[in-house]
Amino acid sequence: MDGRRGREQYNGGTNRPQFEFITVSGTNIRGDSETRRRVRSRAQADYRRRNPPPPRNALTVDLDVGSWLQSLSRDAALRPGQYAPLPMALQSTSQTIETIQMSPTDHDTTYGRDGAGIFLLIPPDHRPRARQLWNHLYGGGCVIFKSMIEIGFLDILHGSASLTQMLSSSAWHRKQLSTGDHESSIDYARYSLMATRALRLRLDDPTQRASLETIIAILTFAAFANLTSNSQLINVHLDGLTHAISGVGGLIMLQQLPVIWLMMYWIDVRGGYLQDTKPRFPQPYGILLAESKLRINSMPSPNFPNSNSTLVEDPAVAHIFDAIQQVTNIINSEAEALGHAFWRTVLFPGFHFAPILHDLLSLPRNTNGIASRFSKRRECFRLAGILYISELRGKFGMDNTGATSFAYKLLLLLKSREMFVSWESDNFFLLWALIIGSASLCIPEPLRLEFMELLSEYSSVIGAYSLRDSLPTVSGVLI
């Protein structure tokens, strides 16, 4: 009988571990590399035997449908003769008016919080869980969900694609709130697949591709990209939305569908904010005039970047800074009147901050690398204004992903050659930018400290008298 069989008999045929003595000599008590490898491999094998990994459910892994959705949007955009460029100017034509004789009231809705319409799409055994996800949209504490509820967007959802996408968004949000919520991970994967397949069917059908239901469905996908701060997906879905809207008469049709225009507008501004790019759609002035306490009007044309003028003389800068002063006064007044309840007003940022952000993101930037003194100072104003609005958004519970990038740009610009000098008649804006950078809680503390260091040098740059003269005015434009 050989040694191997003898050891098996000794162990009684069990899976008990078998040990091996390793001889070492001299001062190298750890042994050579091969000896160490054998020791490690036996220790690892014994550990895995004693601690087997739990069974893995394939659906607990997040499902990435982004590439699939991007390919669908590209396919839709490349179909010849189906889509025309979306006109930025609102031009009404007789054909357009005939095309858009449809409104959300012509469709069955979800019946609000009860969500009766959605449960007809779900298998009976999944309906209790779907009910939990639907209720989470109303009670989960998400500012974006609350905004969608307040303007009535959830009430106009219709069809499998939009409804299941909202369930997917709800599951994703629940998963973010609790890292151990594996059931929500499964729901997120399940409803993402259902929503994507339903949207694909609509895009592949020429009779359904350009319809109100498809527009709403694409908008729910864009809303999810906004929820996750995914700027790439926001672009994909807004591109698809552009083509879908052009197929039913163009941007003019949204005048009759303010809920859709408002959702698209907010997502467009957020996408521009995340990428620091100009928003693609114009502002819905009719809606903003009715809902905002700001003096809403279009931004005048800014001065040319190579101009020798000052910031005070730039009509666009004056327009934006006046709006910032207005919103600061409105916030102080409302907060004093309503107390803590005011900071839970979920629609206030959309009607008061979004118009200012749209204008700030629409200001011209330096594209050729050779910037004039005026254009650099206006860029400082633009970045400081965006950072200030970011700080205000944070007070309302809004996500400030991207704020740090604006702070870095502002700091680098202020530290660049010939920038941290007296701005003469524009010294006020320099001080304002430094104070915003020093006091913004939405950016990391080390970054704030760098702004504070520059601020400590401000008086030596422009003079102590000028600093004392400017501080009262600056404090009146800050919360």
Side-chain angles (χ1 to χ4, degrees):
M1 181 182 297
D2 58 21
R4 180 170 169 269
R5 291 187 61 186
R7 285 193 300 270
E8 289 178 353
Q9 287 184 349
Y10 177 79
N11 289 331
T14 65
N15 291 325
R16 293 173 59 188
Q18 300 174 7
F19 298 98
E20 177 183 356
F21 289 98
I22 298 175
T23 303
V24 296
S25 61
T27 58
N28 183 20
I29 61 174
R30 297 178 60 199
D32 56 18
S33 59
E34 176 62 21
T35 299
R36 291 196 298 271
R37 185 193 66 77
R38 291 167 62 193
V39 172
R40 284 196 301 269
S41 64
R42 285 187 176 274
Q44 289 169 357
D46 183 60
Y47 178 82
R48 286 193 293 267
R49 182 185 63 81
R50 295 176 181 273
N51 302 276
R56 182 181 181 185
N57 190 320
L59 287 181
T60 60
V61 180
D62 288 351
L63 179 65
D64 180 14
V65 296
S67 58
W68 190 4
L69 295 176
Q70 288 176 10
S71 64
L72 293 180
S73 294
R74 284 195 298 268
D75 291 345
L78 293 174
R79 289 189 183 101
Q82 294 295 334
Y83 302 106
L86 179 66
M88 295 306 295
L90 298 180
Q91 301 175 355
S92 68
T93 63
S94 59
Q95 180 181 3
T96 299
I97 298 301
E98 294 174 0
T99 305
I100 60 176
Q101 298 303 317
M102 54 181 179
S103 73
T105 56
D106 298 330
H107 298 265
D108 296 331
T109 63
T110 60
Y111 305 106
R113 181 163 189 164
D114 292 336
I118 194 169
F119 301 109
L120 300 177
L121 305 170
I122 307 299
D125 56 329
H126 291 162
R127 287 177 186 174
R129 179 61 178 173
R131 171 73 69 177
Q132 294 179 21
L133 294 175
W134 189 256
N135 289 341
H136 179 74
L137 295 173
Y138 288 83
C142 175
V143 175
I144 292 179
F145 292 157
K146 288 180 179 179
S147 299
M148 297 165 75
I149 294 165
E150 289 285 336
I151 66 173
F153 181 73
L154 294 190
D155 296 333
I156 67 171
L157 300 184
H158 176 74
S160 176
S162 58
L163 292 170
T164 51
Q165 177 57 35
M166 287 309 304
L167 289 182
S168 172
S169 300
S170 177
W172 181 89
H173 187 257
R174 286 175 64 103
K175 181 170 67 73
Q176 297 301 115
L177 294 178
S178 176
T179 55
D181 191 353
H182 300 300
E183 190 175 7
S184 292
S185 297
I186 296 172
D187 291 330
Y188 167 58
R190 175 189 297 121
Y191 292 117
S192 290
L193 274 174
M194 292 175 62
T196 305
R197 287 169 177 166
L199 180 59
R200 182 182 185 183
L201 289 175
R202 298 198 65 83
L203 293 176
D204 286 340
D205 186 348
T207 63
Q208 299 181 17
R209 191 177 301 144
S211 66
L212 180 60
E213 184 176 330
T214 300
I215 290 173
I216 294 175
I218 297 174
L219 201 50
T220 59
F221 278 81
F224 174 71
N226 181 37
L227 176 67
T228 60
S229 300
N230 190 325
S231 58
Q232 186 178 9
L233 275 186
I234 289 178
N235 288 339
V236 168
H237 299 311
L238 289 183
D239 286 343
L241 199 62
T242 298
H243 295 297
I245 291 173
S246 67
V248 294
L251 200 59
I252 184 66
M253 64 91 65
L254 297 183
Q255 287 183 319
Q256 300 185 19
L257 302 168
V259 173
I260 294 178
W261 193 349
L262 197 55
M263 277 291 296
M264 186 181 72
Y265 165 65
W266 285 343
I267 294 171
D268 183 32
V269 172
R270 180 78 194 293
Y273 173 82
L274 290 173
Q275 303 166 89
D276 195 11
T277 57
K278 180 180 179 180
R280 67 183 70 199
F281 300 119
Q283 304 220 48
Y285 291 114
I287 300 174
L288 296 176
L289 281 169
E291 300 293 340
S292 180
K293 295 183 179 181
L294 293 173
R295 293 189 296 270
I296 299 294
N297 47 63
S298 59
M299 182 176 68
S301 299
N303 289 345
F304 291 108
N306 58 356
S307 169
N308 290 323
S309 63
T310 64
L311 293 179
V312 178
E313 298 169 339
D314 190 329
V317 171
H319 166 83
I320 294 174
F321 194 69
D322 178 65
I324 290 175
Q325 290 176 298
Q326 288 181 56
V327 82
T328 301
N329 292 332
I330 292 170
I331 289 175
N332 289 331
S333 176
E334 294 291 320
E336 183 178 355
L338 301 177
H340 293 296
F342 169 67
W343 303 106
R344 296 192 296 271
T345 311
V346 295
L347 294 186
F348 186 91
F351 290 124
H352 295 83
F353 301 158
I356 301 175
L357 267 182
H358 191 287
D359 287 343
L360 285 165
L361 293 168
S362 299
L363 281 176
R365 326 331 163 50
N366 301 323
T367 57
N368 56 8
I370 303 175
S372 66
R373 182 182 61 182
F374 166 72
S375 64
K376 286 183 178 180
R377 292 178 180 179
R378 185 168 63 186
E379 179 67 2
C380 283
F381 166 79
R382 188 185 74 86
L383 294 171
I386 294 174
L387 192 56
Y388 181 60
I389 297 298
S390 299
E391 183 69 13
L392 296 182
R393 282 168 47 90
K395 294 180 180 296
F396 288 84
M398 307 291 287
D399 179 30
N400 273 329
T401 300
T404 301
S405 66
F406 292 105
Y408 271 118
K409 291 178 183 179
L410 176 59
L411 185 63
L412 290 175
L413 193 54
L414 288 173
K415 287 184 173 182
S416 63
R417 184 180 179 184
E418 297 182 354
M419 278 301 293
F420 199 63
V421 295
S422 175
W423 287 18
E424 293 133 2
S425 60
D426 289 333
N427 276 332
F428 167 84
F429 291 106
L430 173 59
L431 179 60
W432 182 68
L434 290 172
I435 292 178
I436 289 174
S438 302
S440 294
L441 298 179
C442 61
I443 63 176
E445 183 179 3
L447 205 53
R448 294 200 303 272
L449 293 176
E450 292 198 56
F451 279 106
M452 291 179 188
E453 185 178 351
L454 288 180
L455 182 60
S456 67
E457 301 172 8
Y458 177 82
S459 59
S460 62
V461 172
I462 59 101
Y465 176 80
S466 180
L467 176 60
R468 289 194 300 269
D469 188 53
S470 300
L471 275 176
T473 309
V474 172
S475 62
V477 198
L478 297 171
I479 297 298

